[in-house]
Structure formats: C-alpha cells, structure tokens
Amino acid sequence: MVTSSCFLFSMVVVVLIQFIRTSETNITTDQYALLAFRAHIINLDPQPILATNWSSATPVCNWAGVTCSRRHNRVATLNLSYMGLVGTIPPDIGNISFLASLDIRNNSFSGNLPEGMAHLRRLKEMNLGYNEKEHHNGNEWRTGISPKSAKSYVRVFLAVALHEFLL
C-alpha cells in the first residue's frame, strides 16, 4: 500500500513538473513581452502600424514585423527597422525565448540593452544600427549586455560609427 502511494505521488509530481515546464513559456509569453516593447515606444510609430496591428485581437504571428517559427509557433524574428520609432528596449524582451533575430535599426531607440537579453540563447543576429545619435552614445548600447554574457550570439551587429564604438 505504501509503495503504491509513493508511486502515485511520484507520478503526480512528474506530471505537475511537466505541466509547469510546458506552461512556463508559450506564445502568450511572447505576446506580453511584445506588448511591453510597444509600451516603451514613445511615439507609437508615425504610421499607426503597431498601435492598430499589435493587439490581442490579432494573433501574434500576424503582427507587423513579427515572424514565428513553424516548428514551435513562437516569435523567432522581430524586425522593426526603418519605422521611425522612438523609445527604449524593455527587460521583457528577454522573455521571447525563441527569438533568433532582432532588427531595430534606423529608429530612435536609446538607453541600455537590458540584461534579460542574455537569456536569449537562440539570438544569432541583432542589428541596432543607426538609431539617432542624439538619443544615445555609442557606449550605452554595450552597457547592459555583451557577447561574453550571451555566449550563444553568433553575430552581433552594433552598427554604430567606428569612432563611437571605440570610445
């Protein structure tokens, strides 16, 4: 009797652990992270693409600038380049665990890269280039994260002018 109770208890624990692991992160986690990103955009884009398209009424994988992986149905690419956005990158971006490519070049993002980005183990490309100089200096992009703290980076594009990069 004791053995069967221990076995049943063990099985319940295993099922609960599996449930917790699978429900920890999903497309809803990605959605919340992207909505937090949108909330950190000051002008919410000159063309109201994000304001109208990035909402709970539209599936995340259909949002402008978002591409999801077919295999996992999770956000894999975020491309908001050339959208004239002004804002900062929130720590929530580190919750998009399947993100492989981030491209926010040619906008006006400023501030530090959040430390949570070091959790993006699948991130292979990041292009932050040509965000307006008056909104940040070349060193700020590098203070929150480095390739040393995110060993999975294959390529990190910090496309700032060479003299700013060396400051």
Side-chain angles (χ1 to χ4, degrees):
M1 182 75 171
V2 172
T3 306
S4 63
S5 294
C6 287
F7 176 74
L8 182 60
F9 178 75
S10 298
M11 291 304 294
V12 169
V13 169
V14 168
V15 169
L16 283 174
I17 290 172
Q18 185 63 28
F19 175 76
I20 290 168
R21 290 176 109 192
T22 56
S23 64
E24 253 179 55
T25 60
N26 56 32
I27 195 69
T28 305
T29 306
D30 295 351
Q31 179 183 20
Y32 290 141
L34 290 172
L35 289 173
F37 193 98
R38 185 185 79 176
H40 280 78
I41 296 174
I42 297 167
N43 71 339
L44 207 52
D45 67 295
Q47 312 87 12
I49 296 168
L50 300 186
T52 57
N53 181 257
W54 282 31
S55 73
S56 56
T58 306
V60 175
C61 295
N62 294 338
W63 288 5
V66 173
T67 304
C68 292
S69 65
R70 291 183 186 190
R71 182 176 180 196
H72 300 287
N73 194 40
R74 298 288 303 277
V75 175
T77 302
L78 182 58
N79 184 346
L80 301 177
S81 59
Y82 299 94
M83 293 184 86
L85 305 174
V86 177
T88 59
I89 302 172
D92 307 76
I93 197 161
N95 295 333
I96 308 174
S97 56
F98 282 80
L99 190 65
S101 176
L102 173 64
D103 188 350
I104 58 169
R105 67 186 147 168
N106 288 75
N107 286 293
S108 294
F109 286 102
S110 62
N112 296 330
L113 294 178
E115 289 182 29
M117 288 183 73
H119 299 269
L120 299 175
R121 306 252 181 252
R122 291 175 174 89
L123 189 62
K124 292 180 176 45
E125 293 185 354
M126 183 169 62
N127 193 336
L128 311 174
Y130 302 103
N131 278 279
E132 290 188 24
K133 184 179 177 183
E134 60 268 14
H135 294 287
H136 74 281
N137 67 45
N139 292 327
E140 277 190 286
W141 283 126
R142 296 182 287 138
T143 57
I145 190 171
S146 71
K148 290 179 184 176
S149 64
K151 296 176 184 174
S152 65
Y153 289 169
V154 172
R155 293 181 291 187
V156 177
F157 296 113
L158 295 174
V160 295
L162 183 58
H163 69 278
E164 286 182 347
F165 185 77
L166 295 175
L167 289 176

